Amino acid sequence: MHIAIAGNIGSGKTTLTRMLAKRYGWTPRFEPVDNNPYLADFYQDMKRWSFNLQVYFLSKRFKEVVEIAQSKEYIIQDRTIFEDARIFAPNLHDQGLMSDRDFENYSDLFDLMMSLVKLPDLMIYIRSSIPTLVAQIQKRGREYERSIRIDYLQGLEERYEHWINSYKGPLIIVDGDHLRFEANPQDFQQITDQIDAKLFGLFPME
């Protein structure tokens, strides 16, 4: 089974992935950040490195999706291939940080990949406002994230909302502004109660 966690930069995807993997005994798949050869360069010069970064993410994510489809385990994934193609790449293109030629090339590649994969069995979306995202990005203190612009986060947020409002698969939305799931066990239980109902309830996946 494939469970995926989606959300903007700093929304808490990795933390929730780790907590749910421990709670349910699921196998976690984390976003490739620390070993990403393009990420630091991208935040320094987005226009120069946007296409390289997005193709890197797309290739890694597609490999993961194929491996997940072939696995017999319950796998929980930190960020999805859909976010790369429906949110991050279009946002870069709209902001003039990815050329028309590169975006068309990228989109063709994504469409080909999508013909070979299916939606996750459950999508968990963490909805967080810009102030919450900024506070959490500052708290974790990654050096390469210091240069992230507010308008970049805002563009991502608008695309996340558009994407999630039209999402067709099984979905849970987590209130990232008010549910402090890392610090408050009751908040975390609110999330697991919804997951239990979706995956293991009397009428799962409805």
Side-chain angles (χ1 to χ4, degrees), residues 81-168:
I81 194 171
F82 307 99
E83 293 165 86
D84 291 313
R86 300 304 184 206
I87 295 160
F88 284 84
N91 186 58
L92 289 167
H93 179 243
D94 284 352
Q95 293 190 346
L97 298 171
M98 184 184 291
S99 70
D100 292 344
R101 179 180 61 181
D102 285 346
F103 183 65
E104 289 172 7
N105 188 3
Y106 176 91
S107 298
D108 287 345
L109 182 59
F110 173 75
D111 289 341
L112 174 62
M113 291 177 174
M114 286 303 94
S115 68
L116 304 172
V117 302
K118 64 174 186 174
L119 294 177
D121 296 292
L122 178 63
M123 179 73 72
I124 302 171
Y125 171 57
I126 306 175
R127 174 179 281 149
S128 300
S129 65
I130 298 300
T132 296
L133 298 174
V134 170
Q136 293 182 171
I137 290 170
Q138 290 176 339
K139 179 181 177 182
R140 68 188 183 191
R142 292 174 181 167
E143 184 65 31
Y144 54 80
E145 290 181 340
R146 292 182 181 274
S147 58
I148 296 178
R149 304 195 313 253
I150 295 295
D151 65 327
Y152 177 67
L153 284 177
Q154 289 172 332
L156 294 177
E157 187 66 16
E158 291 171 4
R159 289 198 165 273
Y160 263 109
E161 288 302 313
H162 177 75
W163 170 65
I164 212 66
N165 286 334
S166 60
Y167 186 76
K168 301 302 183 183

Side-chain angles (χ1 to χ4, degrees), residues 6-203:
N8 208 339
I9 300 168
S11 60
K13 297 181 302 298
T14 300
T15 298
L16 187 56
T17 298
R18 187 181 299 112
M19 293 176 70
L20 291 175
K22 181 178 180 181
R23 163 67 174 78
Y24 290 100
W26 295 339
T27 300
R29 292 289 188 102
F30 294 105
E31 184 178 17
V33 172
D34 293 336
N35 297 321
N36 188 318
Y38 294 106
L39 201 56
D41 289 331
F42 167 73
Y43 284 129
Q44 292 298 318
D45 188 348
M46 289 185 174
K47 191 169 186 177
R48 164 65 182 86
W49 295 103
S50 62
F51 180 72
N52 305 70
L53 177 73
Q54 291 307 129
V55 169
Y56 173 85
F57 275 130
L58 192 63
S59 66
K60 293 295 183 181
R61 217 82 71 186
F62 182 65
K63 181 182 178 182
E64 277 194 337
V65 169
V66 172
E67 291 174 352
I68 290 169
Q70 296 172 346
S71 175
K72 301 299 183 183
E73 298 180 297
Y74 277 69
I75 294 176
I76 183 165
Q77 184 185 24
D78 173 5
R79 182 163 280 155
T80 69
I81 194 171
F82 307 99
E83 293 165 86
D84 291 313
R86 300 304 184 206
I87 295 160
F88 284 84
N91 186 58
L92 289 167
H93 179 243
D94 284 352
Q95 293 190 346
L97 298 171
M98 184 184 291
S99 70
D100 292 344
R101 179 180 61 181
D102 285 346
F103 183 65
E104 289 172 7
N105 188 3
Y106 176 91
S107 298
D108 287 345
L109 182 59
F110 173 75
D111 289 341
L112 174 62
M113 291 177 174
M114 286 303 94
S115 68
L116 304 172
V117 302
K118 64 174 186 174
L119 294 177
D121 296 292
L122 178 63
M123 179 73 72
I124 302 171
Y125 171 57
I126 306 175
R127 174 179 281 149
S128 300
S129 65
I130 298 300
T132 296
L133 298 174
V134 170
Q136 293 182 171
I137 290 170
Q138 290 176 339
K139 179 181 177 182
R140 68 188 183 191
R142 292 174 181 167
E143 184 65 31
Y144 54 80
E145 290 181 340
R146 292 182 181 274
S147 58
I148 296 178
R149 304 195 313 253
I150 295 295
D151 65 327
Y152 177 67
L153 284 177
Q154 289 172 332
L156 294 177
E157 187 66 16
E158 291 171 4
R159 289 198 165 273
Y160 263 109
E161 288 302 313
H162 177 75
W163 170 65
I164 212 66
N165 286 334
S166 60
Y167 186 76
K168 301 302 183 183
L171 173 68
I172 290 172
I173 297 179
V174 173
D175 184 347
D177 287 342
H178 298 103
L179 288 181
R180 306 300 182 188
F181 49 82
E182 183 177 15
N184 189 329
Q186 290 181 330
D187 287 354
F188 181 58
Q189 186 175 342
Q190 286 190 42
I191 299 172
T192 59
D193 284 349
Q194 292 184 70
I195 292 172
D196 290 344
K198 284 283 188 182
L199 296 183
F200 314 117
L202 185 60
F203 303 105

